[in-house]
Amino acid sequence: MPEFYGTHVASRLMLGTAQYPSPRVLEDAFRRSGAGIATVSLRREAGGEGAGTAFWEMIRALGLPVLPNTAGCHSVREAVTTAHMARELFDTDWIKLEVIGHADTLQPDPFGLVEAARILTEDGFRVFPYTTEDGVLGGRLLEAGCEVLMPWGAPIGTGRGLNNVYGLRTLRAQFPDVPMVIDAGLGLPSHAAQAMELGFDAVLLNTAVARAGDPAAMAEGFARALEAGRLAREADPMEPRDMAAPSTPVLGLAVLG
């Protein structure tokens, strides 16, 4: 199972907690998926003293490590401030760092991301940066103190899967010993299996599960796909060929005339 900042987690699935039709459905999705980490946006807790208490108690009752995130932050200052508030509220040094640079694609701002990662790392945070498949950016984040990379598969909430397989494969090969999580853009369990086949360590989901007709069933489907993809990776799969190759050898077969 994957390890992040010295902590082993029980599953390769990280599951978000937003957009579910009801708390019961959220709990069922976590139960059936066996997710190893729950991700939570601080903004769900905003709104006044005591706001969000019932939600937070429900998340705590899941008994999972919590990964707060700086969702919706568009500047370094906003992301750093949100991270400090999250650490105080959730009592964890883990933070999923988002610094959004483009309103339509929700693509990370690479310059702000590196700057915020450096500030937070120096402040004692364990940073999980939401990034792209850019290897240069990945290297800068590691230099800033990150020990995990979370490249997107596709823009958040699109369900398009792995848009740039070549780029993701290259990033994985460039930093073979760095834990990596595909974060954002997955829509089907097959996308998660593909991420495992490429050698990634985990995936982070929210919309694909929460917006499904049956979120709990979809969550379980993703969990099973992750295991299938990981087994395939570890089995050393065959290389693709351009020409057909018979699965039954012709040598030694009887010739009927």
Side-chain angles (χ1 to χ4, degrees):
M1 285 299 149
E3 179 181 345
F4 304 107
Y5 290 106
T7 298
H8 290 276
V9 296
S11 169
R12 299 185 184 279
L13 177 60
M14 301 180 180
L15 197 56
T17 55
Q19 306 182 54
Y20 291 85
S22 72
R24 175 63 62 84
V25 171
L26 185 154
E27 290 177 311
D28 287 347
F30 272 87
R31 177 178 52 81
R32 287 185 59 177
S33 70
I37 291 176
T39 65
V40 182
S41 170
L42 178 67
R43 291 164 192 258
R44 290 184 63 92
E45 302 299 313
E49 185 176 354
T53 300
F55 172 78
W56 176 220
E57 289 301 322
M58 179 183 64
I59 298 304
R60 284 158 61 106
L62 295 173
L64 300 175
V66 173
L67 178 62
N69 68 60
T70 63
C73 292
H74 290 257
S75 71
V76 172
R77 180 178 180 181
E78 187 181 14
V80 169
T81 300
T82 301
H84 278 90
M85 293 171 63
R87 179 161 66 179
E88 181 176 348
L89 179 63
F90 296 110
D91 192 28
T92 178
D93 291 330
W94 283 12
I95 191 74
K96 178 192 166 188
L97 178 61
E98 294 184 23
V99 183
I100 301 301
H102 192 275
D104 291 332
T105 64
L106 301 181
Q107 178 173 336
D109 171 0
F111 308 103
L113 184 63
V114 172
E115 182 181 351
R118 181 173 291 108
I119 292 169
L120 291 173
T121 298
E122 291 174 354
D123 284 343
F125 283 88
R126 310 291 191 178
V127 178
F128 293 69
Y130 165 61
T131 182
T132 66
E133 67 276 19
D134 186 328
V136 175
L137 175 55
R140 295 290 186 270
L141 289 167
L142 296 175
E143 291 171 2
C146 299
E147 298 180 15
V148 178
L149 295 176
M150 300 182 74
W152 64 353
I156 295 171
T158 61
R160 299 184 64 85
L162 306 184
N163 271 356
N164 184 0
V165 172
Y166 170 80
L168 291 169
R169 183 184 290 115
T170 301
L171 181 70
R172 177 69 282 181
Q174 187 173 349
F175 305 109
D177 299 322
V178 175
M180 290 192 193
V181 181
I182 294 294
D183 176 14
L186 303 189
L188 294 169
S190 57
H191 300 155
Q194 185 181 22
M196 293 295 101
E197 291 165 4
L198 289 175
F200 286 86
D201 299 284
V203 302
L204 193 157
L205 307 167
N206 195 157
T207 308
V209 170
R211 292 293 183 89
D214 186 339
M218 184 63 79
E220 182 179 346
F222 269 102
R224 294 188 182 192
L226 285 167
E227 290 307 309
R230 191 66 184 181
L231 284 171
R233 171 77 176 187
E234 293 173 349
D236 189 18
M238 63 175 286
E239 293 292 330
R241 299 169 50 96
D242 291 329
M243 300 295 292
S247 57
T248 302
V250 295
L251 216 65
L253 291 180
V255 178
L256 302 178

